[in-house]
Amino acid sequence: MSGKPTREQIIETADRLFYQQGFEHTSFAHIADAVRISRGNFYYHFKSKDEILSAVIRHRLANTGKMLESWQAQADTPRDRIRCFIHILLVNGDKIRNYGCPVGTLSSELAKLNHSAQGEANELFTLFHDWLKSQFVQLGHRRDAGQLAAHLLSRSQGVATLFNAFGDEKFVRREVGQMCEWLDDITNQ
Amino acid sequence: MSGKPTREQIIETADRLFYQQGFEHTSFAHIADAVRISRGNFYYHFKSKDEILSAVIRHRLANTGKMLESWQAQADTPRDRIRCFIHILLVNGDKIRNYGCPVGTLSSELAKLNHSAQGEANELFTLFHDWLKSQFVQLGHRRDAGQLAAHLLSRSQGVATLFNAFGDEKFVRREVGQMCEWLDDITNQ
DNA sequence: TAACATCTAGGACAAACGACCTAGCCCGGA
DNA sequence: TCCGGGCTAGGTCGTTTGTCCTAGATGTTA
């Protein structure tokens, strides 16, 4: 199909399917069909389902890292960068409405499965957290930067969950606005 | 085993297992083993897996309703009742740390499975929302009661998600405190 | 051309899944 | 006593799951 190597196609397709249908509900056959390869070929690239999951998480970590870097380049001030984070809820609105937050839902699912990759998946949270923390430090909140980061992460997780459940876009816009106000408040002091 | 009728035992066990391991990951055999009955007997009481899910959701709705009524009886003011809601995060701390919020995680899972019971599961959210809304109305916030309810629901969902991922109890205590402060703020105005 | 590692296809496997069936148990009413 | 409905046990069906194997296609190097 596309020019990309098979292994990459598998990872990207698995990434999409894990997000849209959940990790457990996505089978080998399902991914293989979507990539249009045989199950046998599939097994040549990945020896087990856990191995794909690991690769998908690393893939997400890399993509997230790139996104954070692009924000770093786009926005001049730390406040604008944090605004970028808050606005993912609107930018990725359709996806979140249908499938929830890719980070939060994967973390929840793996927690229930008591899966060994739980820690790896949480690195996605940590990546966002540490990036936000560094932005808050740059805003002068050196002491409570970690707490502010966790607070904002938590807020956006909650909004994503409710958006996924009810699909109310007005609610998201309102919450995004409130988070931006909150950001301005703690910035101006 | 216990004196309860088999059907009730099945529902309660399924409720627990769906919460702890997720709906899809919990099989007929798993529930039957836990209740110590045969799969055949199981099928006498419930014709399909979706039927159990439906019964479990109704069971949760009933239990949640009782809990809300007990708060209504325990706490004198609407503010104290809302505080009861906020404090579930601490009261059910161990469960939430291990398995997340029963309402949010079920809603997320069913959304990914595109399951027909999605709407039923969301009634749990609605139950909390409407109850909170009525409390905010009683506090004099007639116009924006629904928004305040959704906001608080969203906040606690986010806290539950992060608590489930990182298990940081200090974070939960901090967020619970902030939500109570927020409640006081909008009450005193 | 010949040899080689890389990649692919498609089938086979046991185990587990949801669903279904039937034979028999228990126990109150006729 | 016999009957009959509520309940239980245990097995079976077809399908799907993750895993694994082998034969062959492909493409590069000698």
Side-chain angles (χ1 to χ4, degrees), chain B:
Chain B
M1 273 297 110
S2 86
K4 291 186 180 174
T6 307
R7 191 188 151 87
E8 247 176 83
Q9 285 188 50
I10 293 175
I11 293 177
E12 286 173 9
T13 305
D15 188 351
R16 201 190 78 237
L17 291 177
F18 286 174
Y19 176 41
Q20 293 176 346
Q21 329 181 335
F23 167 68
E24 190 167 37
H25 189 246
T26 302
S27 70
F28 273 65
H30 212 132
I31 303 172
D33 284 358
V35 187
R36 291 178 189 274
I37 59 169
S38 65
R39 273 135 281 142
N41 186 9
F42 192 105
Y43 204 75
Y44 170 79
H45 293 280
F46 297 95
K47 266 170 272 180
S48 74
K49 207 182 172 186
D50 293 356
E51 215 169 273
I52 316 168
L53 178 59
S54 226
V56 165
I57 293 175
R58 281 195 300 272
H59 185 247
R60 289 193 188 181
L61 280 168
N63 281 349
T64 305
K66 284 179 198 166
M67 184 176 66
L68 295 179
E69 282 175 21
S70 83
W71 289 349
Q72 208 82 13
Q74 277 174 40
D76 291 334
T77 68
R79 201 171 60 174
D80 285 339
R81 287 176 208 142
I82 297 174
R83 278 216 191 90
C84 285
F85 170 80
I86 296 173
H87 278 83
I88 335 177
L89 286 166
L90 290 170
V91 174
N92 293 343
D94 289 341
K95 291 181 188 172
I96 294 173
R97 190 214 318 270
N98 288 320
Y99 315 114
C101 167
V103 181
T105 54
L106 180 65
S107 173
S108 293
E109 184 178 0
L110 296 186
K112 290 218 192 257
L113 302 182
N114 215 352
H115 197 284
S116 59
Q118 223 171 320
E120 291 179 67
N122 280 0
E123 285 181 37
L124 279 161
F125 265 135
T126 309
L127 187 58
F128 276 110
H129 178 274
D130 292 353
W131 183 85
L132 282 171
K133 182 177 173 183
S134 85
Q135 303 304 318
F136 281 115
V137 167
Q138 290 175 49
L139 280 174
H141 288 82
R142 204 153 47 87
R143 275 184 52 195
D144 53 353
Q147 298 186 10
L148 295 172
H151 176 78
L152 196 54
L153 215 50
S154 166
R155 291 272 294 264
S156 55
Q157 277 299 309
V159 174
T161 304
L162 252 69
F163 189 28
N164 182 228
F166 291 113
D168 182 356
E169 199 173 320
K170 284 183 189 170
F171 160 76
V172 181
R173 293 194 180 281
R174 216 160 49 220
E175 289 289 328
V176 164
Q178 285 179 25
M179 281 189 267
C180 288
E181 281 178 30
W182 169 83
L183 180 61
D184 289 342
D185 283 350
I186 65 162
T187 306
N188 290 333
Q189 281 173 7

Side-chain angles (χ1 to χ4, degrees), chain A residues 1-6 8-10 12-13 34-36:
Chain A
M1 275 299 108
S2 85
K4 291 185 180 176
T6 307
E8 246 175 84
Q9 284 188 52
I10 292 175
E12 285 173 10
T13 305
V35 187
R36 291 177 188 273

